[in-house]
Amino acid sequence: MTAHVDTLLDPRLVAVESRASRVQKVRSPGGIEAWLVEDYAIPLLAVNFGFKGGASQDPLGKPGVATLLAGLVDEGAGPYDSAAFHQALDDSAIDISFSADRDAIQGRMKTLSRHMGRAFELLALAVTEPRFDAPSLTRVKGQVVASLKRELNDPDHAAARLFRQLSYPNHPYGQPVRGDLDIVETITRDDLVLMHSRLFARDNLKVAVVGAIDAETLGRELDRVFAVLPAKADLMPVATVLFSGTGTQHVTTIDVPQSTIRFGRQGIPRDDADYMAATVVNHVLGAGGFTARLYKEVREKRGLAYSVYSQNSEMDHAAMLVGATSTKNERAAESISVIQDEIRQMAEGGITEQELDKARKYLIGSYALRFDTSHKIAGQLVSLQLDGYDVTRLDTRNTDIAAVTMADASRAAKRLLGDGALLVTIAGKPVGL
């Protein structure tokens, strides 16, 4: 195994076993590439894959098409209607599912090794021959509509939705991934067929496989599932966009006893040299659970809220620092003030040596928890590919965290937190706001 140790830091901070060395890059006879981790300890197979695009490719004025597409791909395919397709999955204990986010549509398959052939056969039908039958379309639309109606009076969803709209106005990232109540019903089968033909293609496909399968067998199955897809996707260009609305505060009134608060500002993107330092800074600020500064100031010292957090949210064409909390309507203004004050203080003073040491150790030590099941490993491998990383990232991620210095953290804190100004959205009946 290859060891990756920064000699300027405590070697115990970084793992000495190379994860990247376990990953094979497999290329099928038809040219489909996948990252494979062979593991015969348990007779299971996990397959994860993603097509770049996602909800950012929804037609103008029709948010929610990608979500409906992901919800219908496995609702009947080839010769099987929805009931027959799910019965075929159940007969062999095969799990196939799809989901959409802003930048990709992802699929997952889990199966016992002895049902591998049947599993790949059904997956191929779902990927290449989805039926989009009228009864299934009506049913899935109804499920989305029911969910959107429930969220109308949910302060958490209301605050998040308003926050997203104000963060990226007139941009695909500002649109709701699952659509709007008054638009979902207008989405047609033709919309789904067109998006499927545009997004499901070989050049924007990323695949990861973990389990009891060898490279030669996997190559044949990759061609069975993906080789007949179009060679190139037809993606609309998505502009890189900066965070908007910083320094403003907005309330959407909902008659509930607590206010839900969203706050945020421009973030640091994945390809920035200060990204890892910003990850450490945010861990100290609000991602570190009980040890985070926001938790200590908002909950422990003042009892304003049960929980409060912040996180770095990176997309293909944007990055934000975003956080949230919920508190009594009477204490919403105080909570916002405390959060803003703490962000300003960290921007000006950075973090302490002790905070840096604890954050690095936690971020490095907890990384292994992302790889404790076959399904998690496959998911991580696909995420790395979709984010534009090579397999070596499995090893360099922890060494990059270990290499963050006080100077790096101070610089990143100033860049990430700036003057402390935030976009704030509140859903509830906050007093004095």
Side-chain angles (χ1 to χ4, degrees):
M1 297 296 181
T2 302
H4 295 272
V5 176
D6 188 332
T7 57
L8 298 177
L9 297 170
D10 185 344
R12 292 171 297 179
L13 281 175
V14 292
V16 297
E17 182 179 4
S18 169
R19 292 187 177 92
S21 66
R22 296 188 60 206
V23 180
Q24 304 175 58
K25 290 185 177 179
V26 175
R27 182 171 292 275
S28 75
I32 308 297
E33 184 177 289
W35 292 4
L36 167 65
V37 176
E38 283 190 60
D39 186 352
Y40 298 92
I42 302 174
L44 295 173
L45 192 66
V47 179
N48 283 48
F49 56 93
F51 295 98
K52 297 286 283 184
S56 65
Q57 296 297 309
D58 280 344
L60 184 64
K62 277 195 174 181
V65 175
T67 293
L68 275 179
L69 174 62
L72 282 158
V73 172
D74 61 346
E75 290 291 336
Y80 302 104
D81 64 13
S82 178
F85 189 82
H86 285 286
Q87 186 62 56
L89 294 176
D90 291 345
D91 288 345
S92 299
I94 300 165
D95 181 16
I96 294 176
S97 63
F98 293 81
S99 63
D101 60 28
R102 297 190 182 277
D103 291 315
I105 290 181
Q106 296 195 47
R108 288 155 290 276
M109 182 187 82
K110 292 186 290 185
T111 183
L112 296 170
S113 299
R114 66 175 181 270
H115 299 312
M116 183 190 308
R118 181 60 164 161
F120 279 114
E121 175 189 350
L122 294 171
L123 181 62
L125 291 175
V127 169
T128 62
E129 300 182 47
R131 291 166 60 121
F132 306 127
D133 291 334
S136 296
L137 177 56
T138 299
R139 176 168 46 80
V140 174
K141 273 187 183 181
Q143 293 169 350
V144 173
V145 167
S147 177
L148 292 174
K149 285 181 176 178
R150 285 194 301 271
E151 292 171 4
L152 287 176
N153 293 313
D154 183 329
D156 186 61
H157 285 281
R161 190 181 184 94
L162 180 60
F163 183 87
R164 179 67 67 165
Q165 291 170 351
L166 295 169
S167 301
Y168 303 114
N170 305 312
H171 190 277
Y173 287 162
Q175 298 300 305
V177 170
R178 291 183 300 127
D180 285 315
L181 273 175
D182 56 348
I183 292 176
V184 170
E185 291 292 354
T186 70
I187 297 173
T188 66
R189 183 181 187 277
D190 289 344
D191 293 323
L192 302 175
V193 171
L194 178 59
M195 179 164 275
H196 178 267
S197 69
R198 290 177 48 234
L199 268 61
F200 281 49
R202 300 197 302 275
D203 69 328
N204 68 332
L205 169 67
K206 307 297 181 183
V207 187
V209 180
V210 178
I213 189 171
D214 60 76
E216 182 178 357
T217 303
L218 176 59
R220 292 196 302 268
E221 298 296 358
L222 289 173
D223 281 348
R224 172 153 58 154
V225 177
F226 301 111
V228 301
L229 291 173
K232 291 187 177 297
D234 180 19
L235 301 182
M236 299 182 295
V238 178
T240 297
V241 62
L242 295 176
F243 189 91
S244 183
T246 306
T248 66
Q249 191 168 280
H250 307 263
V251 176
T252 179
T253 301
I254 299 178
D255 191 9
V256 289
Q258 280 198 327
S259 290
T260 295
I261 300 164
R262 283 286 188 281
F263 58 90
R265 54 180 290 116
Q266 174 66 32
I268 294 179
R270 286 187 294 259
D271 60 356
D272 192 285
D274 280 334
Y275 175 70
M276 279 306 180
T279 300
V280 171
V281 167
N282 177 61
H283 181 84
V284 176
L285 174 66
F290 298 152
T291 65
R293 286 197 189 181
L294 290 181
Y295 183 90
K296 292 177 180 178
E297 295 296 324
V298 173
R299 176 174 174 172
E300 286 190 355
K301 290 186 180 181
R302 296 171 178 85
L304 292 169
Y306 180 76
S307 67
V308 59
Y309 70 88
S310 66
Q311 64 183 38
N312 291 319
S313 178
E314 306 86 23
M315 293 152 282
D316 286 353
H317 306 284
M320 68 163 77
L321 173 72
V322 59
T325 191
S326 294
T327 188
K328 293 179 180 179
N329 287 324
E330 295 79 9
R331 306 196 73 180
E334 181 185 359
S335 297
I336 294 168
S337 178
V338 170
I339 290 168
Q340 289 177 322
D341 287 346
E342 190 56 42
I343 287 174
R344 288 191 189 98
Q345 289 178 27
M346 185 176 285
E348 294 170 1
I351 63 177
T352 67
E353 288 275 8
Q354 184 180 30
E355 287 173 328
L356 173 63
D357 183 58
K358 286 183 177 180
R360 291 185 308 184
K361 287 179 178 176
Y362 179 87
L363 290 167
I364 291 168
S366 64
Y367 191 53
L369 298 177
R370 302 183 187 184
F371 304 93
D372 58 0
T373 68
S374 297
H375 181 59
K376 283 186 181 181
I377 295 169
Q380 284 294 312
L381 295 182
V382 164
S383 292
L384 288 176
Q385 293 178 74
L386 290 172
D387 289 346
Y389 292 114
D390 187 67
V391 67
T392 54
R393 180 64 171 179
L394 291 167
D395 293 337
T396 62
R397 185 267 188 189
N398 276 357
T399 55
D400 288 346
I401 291 286
V404 174
T405 65
M406 281 294 293
D408 297 330
S410 179
R411 182 180 62 252
K414 286 182 170 61
R415 290 188 58 197
L416 183 66
L417 308 176
D419 60 0
L422 302 169
L423 166 65
V424 180
T425 60
I426 309 106
K429 296 186 72 175
V431 176
L433 295 177

